[in-house]
């Protein structure tokens, strides 16, 4: 098991949390707004590096993770691969987003364990649909 920063320990069981990771503050803001609108209040955690995203996922145990392939340090595909290898996060739903994807990058993300690969600009409605499926929120799933 990976060592967690600051001696933090993971919460048992998981939460209705969404982890979003991107180097781009505007992408993080759009993702936060997507999951925190007037009708839905998912607990949104934001990070911008691979290491911090993996550490926070181990602590918060989100059922949904949205990873930008372009992180400040590291990359979203590597983070996806790491999350799939760790017992507390191996079953979470992972969406990888990218602004300059090639077919090879898409295949690499899916091979790393991503459930969904989306190009930027991505559809916030599609992400809400995925969140609704993950958390059993019929209203969000029909968005």
């Amino acid at each position: 098991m990976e060592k967690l920063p600051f001696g933090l320990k993971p919460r048992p069981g998981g939460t209705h949390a969404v982890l979003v990771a991107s180097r781009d503050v505007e992408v993080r803001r759009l993702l936060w707004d997507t999951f925190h609108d007037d009708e839905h209040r998912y607990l949104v955690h934001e990070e911008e590096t691979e290491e911090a995203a993996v550490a926070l996922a181990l602590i918060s145990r989100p059922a949904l993770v949205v990873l930008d392939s372009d992180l400040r340090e590291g990359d979203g595909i590597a983070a996806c691969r790491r999350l799939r290898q760790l017992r507390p996060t191996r079953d979470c739903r992972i969406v990888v987003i990218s602004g300059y994807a090639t077919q090879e990058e898409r295949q690499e993300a899916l091979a790393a364990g991503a459930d969904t690969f989306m190009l930027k600009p991505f559809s916030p409605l599609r992400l809400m649909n995925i969140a609704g499926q993950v958390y059993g929120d019929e209203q969000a799933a029909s968005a």
Side-chain angles (χ1 to χ4, degrees), residues 76-106:
I77 295 173
C80 177
R81 188 175 295 108
R82 290 174 64 189
L83 291 173
R84 286 292 183 233
Q85 293 172 350
L86 299 168
R87 182 181 306 260
T89 56
R90 74 171 50 133
D91 294 326
C92 64
R93 180 87 179 254
I94 299 176
V95 177
V96 173
I97 60 174
S98 178
Y100 48 85
T102 62
Q103 185 62 23
E104 292 80 24
E105 184 181 34
R106 180 183 183 281

PDB file of all heavy atoms in Angstrom, residues 76-106:
ATOM      1  N   GLY A  76      -2.595  11.938 -16.003  1.00  0.00           N
ATOM      2  CA  GLY A  76      -3.831  11.291 -15.589  1.00  0.00           C
ATOM      3  C   GLY A  76      -3.889   9.811 -15.910  1.00  0.00           C
ATOM      4  O   GLY A  76      -4.494   9.036 -15.170  1.00  0.00           O
ATOM      5  N   ILE A  77      -3.255   9.394 -16.994  1.00  0.00           N
ATOM      6  CA  ILE A  77      -3.270   7.979 -17.350  1.00  0.00           C
ATOM      7  C   ILE A  77      -2.445   7.178 -16.346  1.00  0.00           C
ATOM      8  O   ILE A  77      -2.852   6.097 -15.912  1.00  0.00           O
ATOM      9  CB  ILE A  77      -2.793   7.777 -18.794  1.00  0.00           C
ATOM     10  CG1 ILE A  77      -3.808   8.435 -19.756  1.00  0.00           C
ATOM     11  CG2 ILE A  77      -2.613   6.299 -19.121  1.00  0.00           C
ATOM     12  CD1 ILE A  77      -3.375   8.464 -21.200  1.00  0.00           C
ATOM     13  N   ALA A  78      -1.306   7.709 -15.936  1.00  0.00           N
ATOM     14  CA  ALA A  78      -0.499   7.039 -14.908  1.00  0.00           C
ATOM     15  C   ALA A  78      -1.263   6.994 -13.587  1.00  0.00           C
ATOM     16  O   ALA A  78      -1.228   5.972 -12.880  1.00  0.00           O
ATOM     17  CB  ALA A  78       0.836   7.745 -14.743  1.00  0.00           C
ATOM     18  N   ALA A  79      -1.961   8.072 -13.242  1.00  0.00           N
ATOM     19  CA  ALA A  79      -2.768   8.090 -12.021  1.00  0.00           C
ATOM     20  C   ALA A  79      -3.865   7.034 -12.098  1.00  0.00           C
ATOM     21  O   ALA A  79      -4.125   6.326 -11.118  1.00  0.00           O
ATOM     22  CB  ALA A  79      -3.379   9.477 -11.805  1.00  0.00           C
ATOM     23  N   CYS A  80      -4.492   6.906 -13.256  1.00  0.00           N
ATOM     24  CA  CYS A  80      -5.527   5.896 -13.464  1.00  0.00           C
ATOM     25  C   CYS A  80      -4.958   4.500 -13.215  1.00  0.00           C
ATOM     26  O   CYS A  80      -5.550   3.686 -12.497  1.00  0.00           O
ATOM     27  CB  CYS A  80      -6.074   6.019 -14.887  1.00  0.00           C
ATOM     28  SG  CYS A  80      -7.295   4.769 -15.327  1.00  0.00           S
ATOM     29  N   ARG A  81      -3.820   4.236 -13.796  1.00  0.00           N
ATOM     30  CA  ARG A  81      -3.170   2.925 -13.633  1.00  0.00           C
ATOM     31  C   ARG A  81      -2.899   2.643 -12.154  1.00  0.00           C
ATOM     32  O   ARG A  81      -3.154   1.541 -11.654  1.00  0.00           O
ATOM     33  CB  ARG A  81      -1.869   2.892 -14.430  1.00  0.00           C
ATOM     34  CG  ARG A  81      -1.199   1.554 -14.510  1.00  0.00           C
ATOM     35  CD  ARG A  81       0.019   1.565 -15.423  1.00  0.00           C
ATOM     36  NE  ARG A  81      -0.362   1.830 -16.818  1.00  0.00           N
ATOM     37  CZ  ARG A  81      -0.124   2.972 -17.485  1.00  0.00           C
ATOM     38  NH1 ARG A  81       0.530   3.962 -16.899  1.00  0.00           N
ATOM     39  NH2 ARG A  81      -0.513   3.113 -18.733  1.00  0.00           N
ATOM     40  N   ARG A  82      -2.400   3.649 -11.439  1.00  0.00           N
ATOM     41  CA  ARG A  82      -2.104   3.483 -10.007  1.00  0.00           C
ATOM     42  C   ARG A  82      -3.377   3.247  -9.200  1.00  0.00           C
ATOM     43  O   ARG A  82      -3.393   2.398  -8.303  1.00  0.00           O
ATOM     44  CB  ARG A  82      -1.362   4.710  -9.483  1.00  0.00           C
ATOM     45  CG  ARG A  82       0.052   4.810 -10.024  1.00  0.00           C
ATOM     46  CD  ARG A  82       0.726   6.101  -9.629  1.00  0.00           C
ATOM     47  NE  ARG A  82       0.893   6.200  -8.180  1.00  0.00           N
ATOM     48  CZ  ARG A  82       1.290   7.303  -7.563  1.00  0.00           C
ATOM     49  NH1 ARG A  82       1.546   8.403  -8.258  1.00  0.00           N
ATOM     50  NH2 ARG A  82       1.429   7.326  -6.256  1.00  0.00           N
ATOM     51  N   LEU A  83      -4.440   3.977  -9.504  1.00  0.00           N
ATOM     52  CA  LEU A  83      -5.690   3.807  -8.771  1.00  0.00           C
ATOM     53  C   LEU A  83      -6.255   2.401  -8.968  1.00  0.00           C
ATOM     54  O   LEU A  83      -6.826   1.819  -8.039  1.00  0.00           O
ATOM     55  CB  LEU A  83      -6.714   4.856  -9.201  1.00  0.00           C
ATOM     56  CG  LEU A  83      -6.392   6.293  -8.795  1.00  0.00           C
ATOM     57  CD1 LEU A  83      -7.380   7.255  -9.421  1.00  0.00           C
ATOM     58  CD2 LEU A  83      -6.347   6.445  -7.287  1.00  0.00           C
ATOM     59  N   ARG A  84      -6.109   1.857 -10.145  1.00  0.00           N
ATOM     60  CA  ARG A  84      -6.595   0.501 -10.429  1.00  0.00           C
ATOM     61  C   ARG A  84      -5.797  -0.568  -9.684  1.00  0.00           C
ATOM     62  O   ARG A  84      -6.305  -1.644  -9.410  1.00  0.00           O
ATOM     63  CB  ARG A  84      -6.554   0.205 -11.928  1.00  0.00           C
ATOM     64  CG  ARG A  84      -7.626   0.906 -12.700  1.00  0.00           C
ATOM     65  CD  ARG A  84      -8.984   0.332 -12.344  1.00  0.00           C
ATOM     66  NE  ARG A  84     -10.003   0.952 -13.140  1.00  0.00           N
ATOM     67  CZ  ARG A  84     -11.084   1.525 -12.640  1.00  0.00           C
ATOM     68  NH1 ARG A  84     -11.299   1.533 -11.345  1.00  0.00           N
ATOM     69  NH2 ARG A  84     -11.969   2.079 -13.432  1.00  0.00           N
ATOM     70  N   GLN A  85      -4.566  -0.265  -9.336  1.00  0.00           N
ATOM     71  CA  GLN A  85      -3.712  -1.242  -8.653  1.00  0.00           C
ATOM     72  C   GLN A  85      -3.908  -1.244  -7.140  1.00  0.00           C
ATOM     73  O   GLN A  85      -3.479  -2.178  -6.472  1.00  0.00           O
ATOM     74  CB  GLN A  85      -2.244  -0.969  -8.977  1.00  0.00           C
ATOM     75  CG  GLN A  85      -1.900  -1.224 -10.422  1.00  0.00           C
ATOM     76  CD  GLN A  85      -0.501  -0.757 -10.777  1.00  0.00           C
ATOM     77  OE1 GLN A  85       0.163  -0.073 -10.008  1.00  0.00           O
ATOM     78  NE2 GLN A  85      -0.057  -1.126 -11.973  1.00  0.00           N
ATOM     79  N   LEU A  86      -4.550  -0.221  -6.598  1.00  0.00           N
ATOM     80  CA  LEU A  86      -4.711  -0.082  -5.153  1.00  0.00           C
ATOM     81  C   LEU A  86      -6.082  -0.580  -4.707  1.00  0.00           C
ATOM     82  O   LEU A  86      -7.103  -0.199  -5.288  1.00  0.00           O
ATOM     83  CB  LEU A  86      -4.518   1.380  -4.748  1.00  0.00           C
ATOM     84  CG  LEU A  86      -3.136   1.953  -5.077  1.00  0.00           C
ATOM     85  CD1 LEU A  86      -3.124   3.461  -4.906  1.00  0.00           C
ATOM     86  CD2 LEU A  86      -2.080   1.291  -4.207  1.00  0.00           C
ATOM     87  N   ARG A  87      -6.098  -1.413  -3.691  1.00  0.00           N
ATOM     88  CA  ARG A  87      -7.355  -2.020  -3.229  1.00  0.00           C
ATOM     89  C   ARG A  87      -8.453  -0.991  -2.926  1.00  0.00           C
ATOM     90  O   ARG A  87      -9.591  -1.178  -3.351  1.00  0.00           O
ATOM     91  CB  ARG A  87      -7.093  -2.894  -2.005  1.00  0.00           C
ATOM     92  CG  ARG A  87      -8.332  -3.586  -1.491  1.00  0.00           C
ATOM     93  CD  ARG A  87      -8.025  -4.430  -0.269  1.00  0.00           C
ATOM     94  NE  ARG A  87      -6.951  -5.362  -0.539  1.00  0.00           N
ATOM     95  CZ  ARG A  87      -7.122  -6.631  -0.833  1.00  0.00           C
ATOM     96  NH1 ARG A  87      -8.338  -7.127  -0.897  1.00  0.00           N
ATOM     97  NH2 ARG A  87      -6.089  -7.419  -1.060  1.00  0.00           N
ATOM     98  N   PRO A  88      -8.177   0.108  -2.214  1.00  0.00           N
ATOM     99  CA  PRO A  88      -9.261   1.036  -1.877  1.00  0.00           C
ATOM    100  C   PRO A  88      -9.884   1.756  -3.080  1.00  0.00           C
ATOM    101  O   PRO A  88     -10.990   2.267  -2.989  1.00  0.00           O
ATOM    102  CB  PRO A  88      -8.593   2.064  -0.957  1.00  0.00           C
ATOM    103  CG  PRO A  88      -7.352   1.411  -0.467  1.00  0.00           C
ATOM    104  CD  PRO A  88      -6.916   0.496  -1.558  1.00  0.00           C
ATOM    105  N   THR A  89      -9.169   1.813  -4.201  1.00  0.00           N
ATOM    106  CA  THR A  89      -9.670   2.591  -5.345  1.00  0.00           C
ATOM    107  C   THR A  89      -9.864   1.758  -6.605  1.00  0.00           C
ATOM    108  O   THR A  89     -10.271   2.306  -7.626  1.00  0.00           O
ATOM    109  CB  THR A  89      -8.707   3.753  -5.656  1.00  0.00           C
ATOM    110  OG1 THR A  89      -7.385   3.235  -5.878  1.00  0.00           O
ATOM    111  CG2 THR A  89      -8.672   4.765  -4.525  1.00  0.00           C
ATOM    112  N   ARG A  90      -9.598   0.481  -6.549  1.00  0.00           N
ATOM    113  CA  ARG A  90      -9.630  -0.305  -7.795  1.00  0.00           C
ATOM    114  C   ARG A  90     -11.017  -0.409  -8.420  1.00  0.00           C
ATOM    115  O   ARG A  90     -11.128  -0.642  -9.610  1.00  0.00           O
ATOM    116  CB  ARG A  90      -9.010  -1.674  -7.592  1.00  0.00           C
ATOM    117  CG  ARG A  90      -9.832  -2.655  -6.813  1.00  0.00           C
ATOM    118  CD  ARG A  90      -9.234  -4.049  -6.849  1.00  0.00           C
ATOM    119  NE  ARG A  90      -7.843  -4.027  -6.520  1.00  0.00           N
ATOM    120  CZ  ARG A  90      -7.234  -4.823  -5.678  1.00  0.00           C
ATOM    121  NH1 ARG A  90      -7.919  -5.770  -5.073  1.00  0.00           N
ATOM    122  NH2 ARG A  90      -5.957  -4.703  -5.431  1.00  0.00           N
ATOM    123  N   ASP A  91     -12.076  -0.207  -7.634  1.00  0.00           N
ATOM    124  CA  ASP A  91     -13.426  -0.348  -8.173  1.00  0.00           C
ATOM    125  C   ASP A  91     -14.116   0.980  -8.477  1.00  0.00           C
ATOM    126  O   ASP A  91     -15.277   0.982  -8.877  1.00  0.00           O
ATOM    127  CB  ASP A  91     -14.290  -1.155  -7.198  1.00  0.00           C
ATOM    128  CG  ASP A  91     -13.806  -2.580  -7.070  1.00  0.00           C
ATOM    129  OD1 ASP A  91     -13.319  -3.138  -8.082  1.00  0.00           O
ATOM    130  OD2 ASP A  91     -13.900  -3.137  -5.965  1.00  0.00           O
ATOM    131  N   CYS A  92     -13.421   2.102  -8.298  1.00  0.00           N
ATOM    132  CA  CYS A  92     -14.063   3.384  -8.590  1.00  0.00           C
ATOM    133  C   CYS A  92     -14.240   3.544 -10.110  1.00  0.00           C
ATOM    134  O   CYS A  92     -13.554   2.906 -10.899  1.00  0.00           O
ATOM    135  CB  CYS A  92     -13.276   4.551  -7.996  1.00  0.00           C
ATOM    136  SG  CYS A  92     -11.633   4.787  -8.672  1.00  0.00           S
ATOM    137  N   ARG A  93     -15.177   4.379 -10.486  1.00  0.00           N
ATOM    138  CA  ARG A  93     -15.403   4.677 -11.899  1.00  0.00           C
ATOM    139  C   ARG A  93     -14.426   5.787 -12.283  1.00  0.00           C
ATOM    140  O   ARG A  93     -14.364   6.817 -11.617  1.00  0.00           O
ATOM    141  CB  ARG A  93     -16.847   5.141 -12.096  1.00  0.00           C
ATOM    142  CG  ARG A  93     -17.252   5.489 -13.489  1.00  0.00           C
ATOM    143  CD  ARG A  93     -17.739   4.241 -14.226  1.00  0.00           C
ATOM    144  NE  ARG A  93     -18.146   4.563 -15.567  1.00  0.00           N
ATOM    145  CZ  ARG A  93     -19.413   4.613 -15.976  1.00  0.00           C
ATOM    146  NH1 ARG A  93     -20.397   4.346 -15.144  1.00  0.00           N
ATOM    147  NH2 ARG A  93     -19.690   4.900 -17.219  1.00  0.00           N
ATOM    148  N   ILE A  94     -13.658   5.574 -13.360  1.00  0.00           N
ATOM    149  CA  ILE A  94     -12.646   6.550 -13.764  1.00  0.00           C
ATOM    150  C   ILE A  94     -12.940   7.053 -15.169  1.00  0.00           C
ATOM    151  O   ILE A  94     -13.121   6.262 -16.098  1.00  0.00           O
ATOM    152  CB  ILE A  94     -11.229   5.957 -13.708  1.00  0.00           C
ATOM    153  CG1 ILE A  94     -10.887   5.510 -12.284  1.00  0.00           C
ATOM    154  CG2 ILE A  94     -10.201   6.971 -14.207  1.00  0.00           C
ATOM    155  CD1 ILE A  94      -9.547   4.812 -12.145  1.00  0.00           C
ATOM    156  N   VAL A  95     -12.981   8.374 -15.301  1.00  0.00           N
ATOM    157  CA  VAL A  95     -13.136   9.046 -16.585  1.00  0.00           C
ATOM    158  C   VAL A  95     -11.845   9.803 -16.847  1.00  0.00           C
ATOM    159  O   VAL A  95     -11.398  10.578 -15.999  1.00  0.00           O
ATOM    160  CB  VAL A  95     -14.328  10.031 -16.572  1.00  0.00           C
ATOM    161  CG1 VAL A  95     -14.421  10.775 -17.892  1.00  0.00           C
ATOM    162  CG2 VAL A  95     -15.632   9.308 -16.253  1.00  0.00           C
ATOM    163  N   VAL A  96     -11.235   9.580 -18.001  1.00  0.00           N
ATOM    164  CA  VAL A  96     -10.055  10.340 -18.406  1.00  0.00           C
ATOM    165  C   VAL A  96     -10.487  11.311 -19.496  1.00  0.00           C
ATOM    166  O   VAL A  96     -11.172  10.920 -20.453  1.00  0.00           O
ATOM    167  CB  VAL A  96      -8.920   9.421 -18.918  1.00  0.00           C
ATOM    168  CG1 VAL A  96      -7.767  10.241 -19.500  1.00  0.00           C
ATOM    169  CG2 VAL A  96      -8.405   8.527 -17.784  1.00  0.00           C
ATOM    170  N   ILE A  97     -10.104  12.588 -19.329  1.00  0.00           N
ATOM    171  CA  ILE A  97     -10.402  13.609 -20.334  1.00  0.00           C
ATOM    172  C   ILE A  97      -9.093  14.099 -20.944  1.00  0.00           C
ATOM    173  O   ILE A  97      -8.058  14.083 -20.291  1.00  0.00           O
ATOM    174  CB  ILE A  97     -11.207  14.785 -19.739  1.00  0.00           C
ATOM    175  CG1 ILE A  97     -10.429  15.471 -18.611  1.00  0.00           C
ATOM    176  CG2 ILE A  97     -12.570  14.316 -19.264  1.00  0.00           C
ATOM    177  CD1 ILE A  97     -11.096  16.722 -18.067  1.00  0.00           C
ATOM    178  N   SER A  98      -9.154  14.522 -22.212  1.00  0.00           N
ATOM    179  CA  SER A  98      -7.949  15.001 -22.883  1.00  0.00           C
ATOM    180  C   SER A  98      -8.323  16.010 -23.955  1.00  0.00           C
ATOM    181  O   SER A  98      -9.340  15.872 -24.622  1.00  0.00           O
ATOM    182  CB  SER A  98      -7.199  13.827 -23.515  1.00  0.00           C
ATOM    183  OG  SER A  98      -6.060  14.296 -24.206  1.00  0.00           O
ATOM    184  N   GLY A  99      -7.452  16.990 -24.120  1.00  0.00           N
ATOM    185  CA  GLY A  99      -7.682  18.016 -25.132  1.00  0.00           C
ATOM    186  C   GLY A  99      -6.956  17.761 -26.433  1.00  0.00           C
ATOM    187  O   GLY A  99      -7.224  18.422 -27.434  1.00  0.00           O
ATOM    188  N   TYR A 100      -6.065  16.806 -26.467  1.00  0.00           N
ATOM    189  CA  TYR A 100      -5.270  16.581 -27.670  1.00  0.00           C
ATOM    190  C   TYR A 100      -5.047  15.090 -27.890  1.00  0.00           C
ATOM    191  O   TYR A 100      -3.955  14.637 -28.177  1.00  0.00           O
ATOM    192  CB  TYR A 100      -3.918  17.297 -27.567  1.00  0.00           C
ATOM    193  CG  TYR A 100      -3.215  17.053 -26.243  1.00  0.00           C
ATOM    194  CD1 TYR A 100      -2.422  15.938 -26.050  1.00  0.00           C
ATOM    195  CD2 TYR A 100      -3.386  17.947 -25.206  1.00  0.00           C
ATOM    196  CE1 TYR A 100      -1.793  15.720 -24.841  1.00  0.00           C
ATOM    197  CE2 TYR A 100      -2.765  17.732 -23.991  1.00  0.00           C
ATOM    198  CZ  TYR A 100      -1.969  16.625 -23.816  1.00  0.00           C
ATOM    199  OH  TYR A 100      -1.357  16.406 -22.618  1.00  0.00           O
ATOM    200  N   ALA A 101      -6.106  14.348 -27.746  1.00  0.00           N
ATOM    201  CA  ALA A 101      -5.982  12.898 -27.754  1.00  0.00           C
ATOM    202  C   ALA A 101      -5.727  12.333 -29.142  1.00  0.00           C
ATOM    203  O   ALA A 101      -6.321  12.733 -30.126  1.00  0.00           O
ATOM    204  CB  ALA A 101      -7.243  12.275 -27.193  1.00  0.00           C
ATOM    205  N   THR A 102      -4.844  11.386 -29.144  1.00  0.00           N
ATOM    206  CA  THR A 102      -4.637  10.554 -30.321  1.00  0.00           C
ATOM    207  C   THR A 102      -5.326   9.220 -30.048  1.00  0.00           C
ATOM    208  O   THR A 102      -5.715   8.930 -28.905  1.00  0.00           O
ATOM    209  CB  THR A 102      -3.137  10.316 -30.556  1.00  0.00           C
ATOM    210  OG1 THR A 102      -2.614   9.603 -29.418  1.00  0.00           O
ATOM    211  CG2 THR A 102      -2.380  11.628 -30.745  1.00  0.00           C
ATOM    212  N   GLN A 103      -5.464   8.420 -31.060  1.00  0.00           N
ATOM    213  CA  GLN A 103      -6.044   7.087 -30.871  1.00  0.00           C
ATOM    214  C   GLN A 103      -5.191   6.276 -29.891  1.00  0.00           C
ATOM    215  O   GLN A 103      -5.720   5.525 -29.085  1.00  0.00           O
ATOM    216  CB  GLN A 103      -6.158   6.366 -32.225  1.00  0.00           C
ATOM    217  CG  GLN A 103      -6.856   5.029 -32.143  1.00  0.00           C
ATOM    218  CD  GLN A 103      -8.300   5.121 -31.672  1.00  0.00           C
ATOM    219  OE1 GLN A 103      -8.962   6.160 -31.778  1.00  0.00           O
ATOM    220  NE2 GLN A 103      -8.811   4.037 -31.140  1.00  0.00           N
ATOM    221  N   GLU A 104      -3.874   6.470 -29.954  1.00  0.00           N
ATOM    222  CA  GLU A 104      -2.980   5.754 -29.047  1.00  0.00           C
ATOM    223  C   GLU A 104      -3.226   6.164 -27.594  1.00  0.00           C
ATOM    224  O   GLU A 104      -3.212   5.327 -26.693  1.00  0.00           O
ATOM    225  CB  GLU A 104      -1.510   5.999 -29.417  1.00  0.00           C
ATOM    226  CG  GLU A 104      -1.087   5.379 -30.734  1.00  0.00           C
ATOM    227  CD  GLU A 104      -1.510   6.206 -31.957  1.00  0.00           C
ATOM    228  OE1 GLU A 104      -1.728   7.431 -31.841  1.00  0.00           O
ATOM    229  OE2 GLU A 104      -1.651   5.594 -33.027  1.00  0.00           O
ATOM    230  N   GLU A 105      -3.443   7.485 -27.352  1.00  0.00           N
ATOM    231  CA  GLU A 105      -3.692   7.942 -25.990  1.00  0.00           C
ATOM    232  C   GLU A 105      -5.004   7.368 -25.469  1.00  0.00           C
ATOM    233  O   GLU A 105      -5.095   6.938 -24.320  1.00  0.00           O
ATOM    234  CB  GLU A 105      -3.710   9.467 -25.907  1.00  0.00           C
ATOM    235  CG  GLU A 105      -3.879   9.952 -24.476  1.00  0.00           C
ATOM    236  CD  GLU A 105      -3.917  11.458 -24.346  1.00  0.00           C
ATOM    237  OE1 GLU A 105      -4.431  12.141 -25.241  1.00  0.00           O
ATOM    238  OE2 GLU A 105      -3.425  11.940 -23.314  1.00  0.00           O
ATOM    239  N   ARG A 106      -6.020   7.345 -26.302  1.00  0.00           N
ATOM    240  CA  ARG A 106      -7.309   6.766 -25.908  1.00  0.00           C
ATOM    241  C   ARG A 106      -7.131   5.299 -25.535  1.00  0.00           C
ATOM    242  O   ARG A 106      -7.607   4.847 -24.496  1.00  0.00           O
ATOM    243  CB  ARG A 106      -8.313   6.902 -27.050  1.00  0.00           C
ATOM    244  CG  ARG A 106      -9.670   6.325 -26.728  1.00  0.00           C
ATOM    245  CD  ARG A 106     -10.616   6.422 -27.940  1.00  0.00           C
ATOM    246  NE  ARG A 106     -11.914   5.932 -27.611  1.00  0.00           N
ATOM    247  CZ  ARG A 106     -12.230   4.637 -27.547  1.00  0.00           C
ATOM    248  NH1 ARG A 106     -11.332   3.714 -27.790  1.00  0.00           N
ATOM    249  NH2 ARG A 106     -13.450   4.263 -27.233  1.00  0.00           N
TER     250      ARG A 106
END
